[in-house]
Amino acid sequence: MTVQVGILGATGAVGQRFVQLLDGHPIFELACVTASDDSVGRTYRNAAEWRLSSEIPAFVADRVVRETDPAAVPDDVDLIFSSLPSDIAADVEPAFLEEGYVMSSNSSNDRMAPDIPLTIPEINPSHLGLIEVQREQRGWDGALVKNPNCSTITMVPTLAALDEFGLESVNVSTLQAVSGAGYSGVAAMEIMDNAIPHIGNEERKMETEARKLLGDFDGAELELHDADVAASCNRIPTIDGHLENVFTGLASNPEPAAVRDAMRNFESADLHSSPEQLIKVFGEGRPDRPQPRLDRSYADGMGVVAGGVEETTDGIQYNCLAHNTLRGAAGASLLNAELLVEEGWV
Ligand code: NAP
């Protein structure tokens, strides 16, 4: 089966990762790329500041960038990936959904809407059932699925693994890479030799999205997980890979070894882009891992790496890391799209 796809915002930091991941993908064939009016009409080679490898992928280099509008998308496209800035996505995405497109979106608008699935295939695939609710409530022929924010997706697989020990609270502090702010997001003069102890709205996204992802869906409504989540987000001068220090409060008192086993054994999904082992865990004696430069490419950037698992007075503390534009963004949308195909929504 081949599905023709389009990428909205294809020239940006996440859009370029989509292009990279779609090169040779067994199901998805890239039919069109869109961006802002500044890029429309230019070749992709000319419009995108390609920095991911020395060569821009040949299959996309000479494509002409199209307008971000359903009328500009070829008729045989069934699935749309969205990596637009959220304020633009809030205007544009409904137009595609009204036209019947299935959309897998990175943008943060509507992630917490009660009728929109916020999905990580290995964690909460059943939440896709919200598509029926969404179609009924919004009158869309299409379907909208969101993936979480990159810092949320880094910690939630580890929290899902800890849930069996009675997850009651989470305190997390992040060290986030500059690519998380997009192509023109952080000026070099601002971030080099520096750290910025706040990332606009990121803290609230982590606190709310984590509870939605871990929540229960009864087929009609979704109940948020009742853990308290508090986050503090920091930007540091790494290029890719978000590192997070997590302190959990647990109802039971597991040994660190039992927690490491629960993380290691947490089941992955049987999809083309899901890693065989979702969470790699460094054992005792390696409190200095994971590290962005050494560990962000684990499982081709689609896995999560944890380490430094230790007991605290209330529960367990550890560090975790994931590649923010792969597992945290384009790869997350791609996995959701693979799940949509697998479950017959496309
Ligand atoms: P980015 O590098 O700034 O790229 C933005 C893209 O949107 C570019 O292709 C840009 O086209 C296009 N665009 C901007 N204004 C537009 C308009 N008015 N109409 C049509 N297209 C427009 O941003 P990014 O980091 O890739 O982020 C994209 C989305 O993913 C955001 O919603 C972000 O919150 C989310 N996200 C990002 C990350 C990450 O790690 N970076 C992680 C998770 C989620 P031009 O090149 O023509 O300007």
Side-chain angles (χ1 to χ4, degrees):
M1 176 187 186
T2 304
V3 177
Q4 299 293 313
V5 304
I7 306 171
L8 312 184
T11 51
V14 176
Q16 293 188 21
R17 289 294 187 186
F18 273 127
V19 165
Q20 197 178 39
L21 292 171
L22 290 173
D23 192 359
H25 192 278
I27 308 169
F28 301 127
E29 203 166 87
L30 184 60
C32 72
V33 288
T34 87
S36 78
D37 289 347
D38 292 344
S39 304
V40 172
R42 295 161 70 188
T43 60
Y44 188 76
R45 180 200 304 281
N46 181 255
E49 291 281 340
W50 188 264
R51 293 280 184 274
L52 299 181
S53 55
S54 54
E55 286 291 325
I56 195 163
F59 81 110
V60 74
D62 296 318
R63 301 281 177 95
V64 173
V65 177
R66 298 179 185 229
E67 205 182 329
T68 302
D69 185 293
V73 170
D75 288 344
D76 59 350
V77 169
D78 286 320
L79 181 90
I80 296 285
F81 292 110
S82 170
S83 50
L84 295 168
S86 304
D87 54 334
I88 309 294
D91 280 343
V92 167
E93 289 180 349
F96 280 85
L97 293 152
E98 280 156 21
E99 290 294 321
Y101 289 101
V102 174
M103 178 176 279
S104 182
S105 168
N106 261 284
S107 306
S108 61
N109 53 301
D110 280 338
R111 279 192 192 135
M112 291 303 293
D115 61 339
I116 292 186
L118 181 70
T119 310
I120 302 175
E122 297 93 337
I123 309 298
N124 61 342
S126 68
H127 292 196
L128 280 194
L130 279 172
I131 291 172
E132 298 286 13
V133 180
Q134 171 191 118
R135 284 181 168 167
E136 198 174 315
Q137 290 186 357
R138 303 198 186 220
W140 289 340
D141 291 329
L144 176 60
V145 175
K146 297 265 169 178
N147 52 267
N149 169 268
C150 46
S151 45
T152 308
I153 213 167
T154 300
M155 72 168 178
V156 163
T158 59
L159 298 180
L162 280 173
D163 213 8
E164 66 176 272
F165 303 112
L167 183 67
E168 291 178 335
S169 66
V170 181
N171 277 282
V172 56
S173 177
T174 69
L175 300 141
Q176 298 186 215
V178 289
S179 61
Y183 239 104
S184 49
V186 192
M189 285 296 280
E190 196 184 335
I191 193 69
M192 294 311 295
D193 187 33
N194 205 8
I196 301 169
H198 170 68
I199 302 176
N201 278 330
E202 195 90 350
E203 287 88 354
R204 298 299 87 76
K205 288 178 194 167
M206 291 189 83
E207 290 164 1
T208 53
E209 291 176 15
R211 297 182 59 210
K212 184 171 179 183
L213 287 156
L214 296 172
D216 282 329
F217 177 55
D218 66 5
E221 278 182 38
L222 199 146
E223 195 179 333
L224 302 185
H225 194 288
D226 57 11
D228 289 323
V229 184
S232 141
C233 296
N234 305 277
R235 186 79 68 198
I236 59 160
T238 45
I239 294 176
D240 288 319
H242 291 350
L243 175 63
E244 306 186 349
N245 314 125
V246 187
F247 292 75
T248 56
L250 302 174
S252 65
N253 263 329
E255 292 292 326
V259 169
R260 282 193 287 271
D261 283 347
M263 288 183 184
R264 271 189 202 112
N265 296 332
F266 192 82
E267 211 176 319
S268 192
D270 190 16
L271 297 168
H272 172 74
S273 303
S274 44
E276 215 168 291
Q277 184 180 351
L278 177 60
I279 309 173
K280 171 180 169 177
V281 188
F282 284 98
E284 235 178 329
R286 295 310 308 265
D288 60 341
R289 298 284 287 276
Q291 296 179 19
R293 191 141 49 89
L294 302 182
D295 297 307
R296 62 191 167 207
S297 298
Y298 166 63
D300 295 326
M302 291 297 286
V304 171
V305 186
V309 179
E310 285 185 8
E311 261 175 297
T312 66
T313 46
D314 303 326
I316 286 286
Q317 78 172 79
Y318 58 94
N319 306 312
C320 57
L321 177 134
H323 195 299
N324 55 296
T325 56
L326 289 170
R327 172 43 88 159
S333 281
L334 184 70
L335 265 183
N336 278 345
E338 290 173 4
L339 181 66
L340 284 162
V341 171
E342 176 79 15
E343 301 214 342
W345 295 99
V346 180

